[in-house]
Amino acid sequence: MLKRTLLATALTVALVAPTQAAEIPQSATLKYGGTMGIPATMNFKRNGDNYTVTANINVPMYKIRFESGGKIVGNQLKPTYYTDTRNGKLYASAKFSGSRVSYGKVGDPHSTTVSGSVMDLFTLSWQLAFNDGELPANTYTTNGKSITKLGALRATGSKTMNVAGGKTTVQQFSVSRDEGSVTYAFAPELQNMPAQISYSDEGKKYNLTLKSIVIDGKVIKPN
């Protein structure tokens, strides 16, 4: 629970403002700058109680596309599938049915039973934005190749970032997993959108920094 965590953090980090949970939009497009200038775009789309999250990262020599989709229950995202596509070819995937998860690289399938929520890192960023940073109990993450239980979400302070031509304060958080910690930063002034996502995958580090935001067709900028 982000507000409680932030209140505690404010005792040691001066003037840390609570993050406000974002309303679930019909659509949102976030453009990021990545490591070594690699561009990335993340889209959220809602159709009734169905949603999709896509993230496209144009790594040199090949394009990566992550996609997940499922149901919206209250403010909770309940994924039913996840895919990792490289240069237009499926690389790894996961399907969720109740507590059963089928996952793995193409040609190397696995399955397991999980008591809790399973999300990819990008869907998790929206889950946190929509729920005031509250991490569901027994949350797992998947990259399609493996299933990892997440540790506790920790507040790590605030900083100022340049987003969409202006400066805004973001609140930073870290969560641990087998591949190393994942760092998120959310911008309360910008409808709590994920302003930074940093993680490692197969030994490669990715650091995505938000550059522009369009929510329900409207460009969002710092005041």
Side-chain angles (χ1 to χ4, degrees), residues 139-188:
T139 300
Y140 295 76
T141 185
T142 184
N143 55 10
K145 297 165 287 189
S146 61
I147 307 290
T148 301
K149 189 171 183 179
L150 295 176
L153 187 71
R154 298 184 298 107
T156 57
S158 64
K159 68 177 181 179
T160 300
M161 287 181 58
N162 290 313
V163 178
K167 293 183 181 296
T168 189
T169 299
V170 300
Q171 310 302 334
Q172 302 175 95
F173 302 89
S174 179
V175 61
S176 62
R177 60 175 187 152
D178 287 351
E179 295 87 346
S181 63
V182 181
T183 300
Y184 292 107
F186 297 94

Side-chain angles (χ1 to χ4, degrees), residues 183-207:
T183 300
Y184 292 107
F186 297 94
E189 184 185 356
L190 304 175
Q191 299 189 32
N192 208 29
M193 290 295 97
Q196 190 170 28
I197 304 173
S198 300
Y199 67 99
S200 297
D201 184 43
E202 294 185 335
K204 297 180 180 178
K205 294 183 178 180
Y206 298 89
N207 182 39

Side-chain angles (χ1 to χ4, degrees), residues 40-110:
T41 301
M42 183 162 62
N43 292 287
F44 177 90
K45 292 185 178 180
R46 176 179 185 174
N47 183 7
D49 63 353
N50 297 302
Y51 77 89
T52 57
V53 172
T54 60
N56 293 279
I57 304 176
N58 293 327
V59 177
M61 303 303 293
Y62 63 94
K63 296 181 178 180
I64 305 176
R65 176 183 172 86
F66 306 113
E67 179 177 330
S68 66
K71 295 288 185 180
I72 301 172
V73 181
N75 269 22
Q76 303 294 315
L77 302 181
K78 304 290 186 180
T80 57
Y81 73 91
Y82 167 79
T83 59
D84 175 345
T85 303
R86 312 283 176 99
N87 280 344
K89 295 182 179 180
L90 184 64
Y91 175 72
S93 64
K95 293 183 179 180
F96 315 103
S97 179
S99 60
R100 197 71 180 168
V101 183
S102 301
Y103 66 97
K105 292 183 181 179
V106 172
D108 185 25
H110 302 272

